[in-house]
Amino acid sequence: MNTPQVSLVDVASYLPGDPVPTDYFTQFSRSERMAKNVMFRSPTGRHHIGRDETAVDMAEQAFAVLRERHGADLAAEIDIIITHTQLPDNPVLGAGPELARRLGAKPSQVLDVHNSGCAAFVQMMAMARMMMATSDAKTALIVAAQNCAGPVFTQPDIRKLAQAPVPGDGCGIGLLRKDDSGPILDIETRTYPEFAGDMDFTTNGPRKYWEPGEGQGCVSFSESKITKVFARGNRLVPEVALAVCARIGVKSKDIDTFITNQPNRLFLRNWHDALELPAERHPDTFDQCGNLFAAGIPVTLDAENRAGRLGNGSVVLLSAFAHAGDFAGAAAIRWGAAR
C-alpha cells in the first residue's frame, strides 16, 4: 500500500514587542568566569514576550499570516493541531485547545508535546506526517512557541547571569497538507535517554518550582556539563542531518538551504562546516532574535521564505538537538511553499 505524501506547504512567525538591546543585561551583569564561555556570547538583539502576552497570543498572530495567504476558511480545514510551548501558560491543559478555540478550528486531534525542546518543530512534523498518513486527516498545524526569555531570564537574580542575554521569545508555525506541493522527503529522529539528566531546572535552593518561597527558577548547567553538551551538539545535529541526506540521495554539500536551531554562533559555524556548506546556505536569525529554542527553525525558515531566498523545488534541510542532547531530529523538504 502506498503511503500518502505529506507536505510542509507554508510557514509563518511572530516576534513580540520591540527588540531588547544587550545593554539591558549589561547593567545588571556580574563578572564571572562563565560569561567568557563561547556558549553564552550574546546576540545583538532579542525580543521578550510581555507579562500579559501568552503563547497562544503569539500563535494566533502567526496564524493570521497563514489565513491571509490561504483564505479566511483555513481554520475550518485544520484536522490536527500540535503545539510545543517552552513555558506553558496552563501546565494542565496546554496551548492546543485554547488555540483551536481562538482560531475557530474543530480538529479531530490536539496534542501538546514537551520533551523535544529545540528540535520540537522536526518532531511535530514527524508526528503530523504519521497521523495524516494513517488517517483521513488532510491538514495539520504545528506550533513552536518560545516564551521563557522575558518571564524567566529577566528575573532579578537571573538577569545577572551570563546566559541571560542569549534567549529571545517568538513563535513559528507550519501548515502541513496531504499533497505533494512541498513534499517532506525524509525525517530522522533519535532519542538519547542517557543524556536526559544533564540539564537541571533549579530555584537555587531547596524549594520545588511550584512551591512558594524564595529562589528564582532557571535552567542550570555546571561548567563541566556545558563542555559535554557542546561536544554532543557539535556531533548530533550533523549526524541526523547526514542520515537524512543519505536516504534521500543528496550530498550534504548540495543542500540548497540548511536551517538549524541557534544556541550560539560557534554551533552554527561548526554545523555548516561539518556538512561542507558555505555560511550563506545556513541562514539564521540569531543576531536579531537570539536563541529561540524550538521556534528558531520555523522563524528562520519564514524569514528566508519572505525574503524570496527559498527557490521552488530546492531542498531545505532542517536539523536540531534538544536540551543537553537527549533528542535530535532532522527533516528534508522539497520546497514549494506560497510566498
Side-chain angles (χ1 to χ4, degrees):
M1 185 175 69
N2 292 330
T3 302
Q5 180 64 64
V6 174
S7 295
L8 177 65
V9 299
D10 208 352
V11 289
S13 63
Y14 169 76
L15 299 172
D18 295 325
V20 177
T22 303
D23 287 351
Y24 168 82
F25 292 96
T26 55
Q27 63 180 318
F28 304 113
S29 63
R30 63 191 186 200
S31 178
E32 57 173 290
R33 184 178 173 186
M34 293 279 275
K36 300 178 182 178
N37 194 296
V38 293
M39 293 280 281
F40 301 130
R41 288 180 184 166
S42 299
T44 304
R46 76 284 295 142
H47 292 257
H48 285 168
I49 193 170
R51 182 184 183 279
D52 296 323
E53 191 171 15
T54 68
V56 175
D57 291 337
M58 291 200 295
E60 190 177 17
Q61 290 286 340
F63 185 79
V65 178
L66 291 186
R67 181 180 271 143
E68 186 175 328
R69 292 177 188 161
H70 297 271
D73 296 330
L74 178 61
E77 302 174 26
I78 297 172
D79 302 305
I80 297 166
I81 293 178
I82 307 178
T83 62
H84 169 89
T85 306
Q86 192 69 27
L87 187 67
D89 300 298
N90 184 333
V92 177
L93 186 63
E98 171 63 11
L99 178 60
R101 185 189 71 79
R102 296 256 200 108
L103 301 183
K106 298 286 185 181
S108 58
Q109 297 282 349
V110 177
L111 297 176
D112 286 280
V113 302
H114 183 69
N115 65 298
S116 46
C118 296
F121 196 76
V122 173
Q123 187 198 35
M124 291 188 290
M125 284 178 60
M127 294 174 68
R129 184 176 70 153
M130 179 176 63
M131 294 168 69
M132 295 169 74
T134 57
S135 72
D136 294 332
K138 296 180 180 179
T139 305
L141 183 71
I142 59 175
V143 177
Q146 150 55 3
N147 61 338
C148 72
V152 174
F153 288 90
T154 61
Q155 296 176 95
D157 291 345
I158 308 303
R159 65 193 180 190
K160 305 172 185 177
L161 303 179
Q163 62 265 40
V166 180
D169 291 325
C171 180
I173 64 176
L175 181 66
L176 287 80
R177 292 193 191 276
K178 192 184 289 184
D179 64 23
D180 61 357
S181 60
I184 299 171
L185 304 177
D186 193 71
I187 299 179
E188 174 80 3
T189 60
R190 298 179 184 178
T191 300
Y192 305 87
E194 63 270 28
F195 303 143
D198 285 350
M199 174 179 278
D200 299 320
F201 186 85
T202 178
T203 59
N204 296 300
R207 181 178 70 83
K208 303 293 186 182
Y209 77 87
W210 63 85
E211 293 176 331
E214 296 182 357
Q216 296 169 9
C218 191
V219 170
S220 175
F221 284 105
S222 67
E223 196 156 0
S224 62
K225 285 184 179 179
I226 289 172
T227 301
K228 292 177 182 178
V229 172
F230 187 71
R232 286 174 202 153
N234 274 335
R235 173 175 57 85
L236 293 177
V237 168
E239 273 187 5
V240 289
L242 290 169
V244 168
C245 288
R247 285 204 297 271
I248 67 174
V250 175
K251 293 181 180 179
S252 64
K253 63 183 180 181
D254 294 327
I255 292 295
D256 296 296
T257 305
F258 181 44
I259 295 178
T260 64
N261 64 312
Q262 49 190 40
N264 55 59
R265 278 276 167 217
L266 190 54
F267 267 136
L268 291 167
R269 187 198 70 188
N270 291 349
W271 288 338
H272 62 244
D273 284 352
L275 267 63
E276 302 181 82
L277 285 169
E280 57 267 24
R281 278 196 265 157
H282 182 198
D284 64 82
T285 52
F286 182 75
D287 279 336
Q288 298 79 30
C289 302
N291 182 1
L292 285 170
F293 298 69
I297 285 178
V299 167
T300 301
L301 188 59
D302 179 45
E304 290 299 292
N305 187 43
R306 286 186 287 106
R309 290 191 286 265
L310 301 179
N312 283 357
S314 62
V315 177
V316 178
L317 182 63
L318 316 176
S319 189
F321 83 105
H323 310 126
D326 57 276
F327 182 80
I333 304 148
R334 181 76 65 183
W335 192 254
R339 291 191 178 90

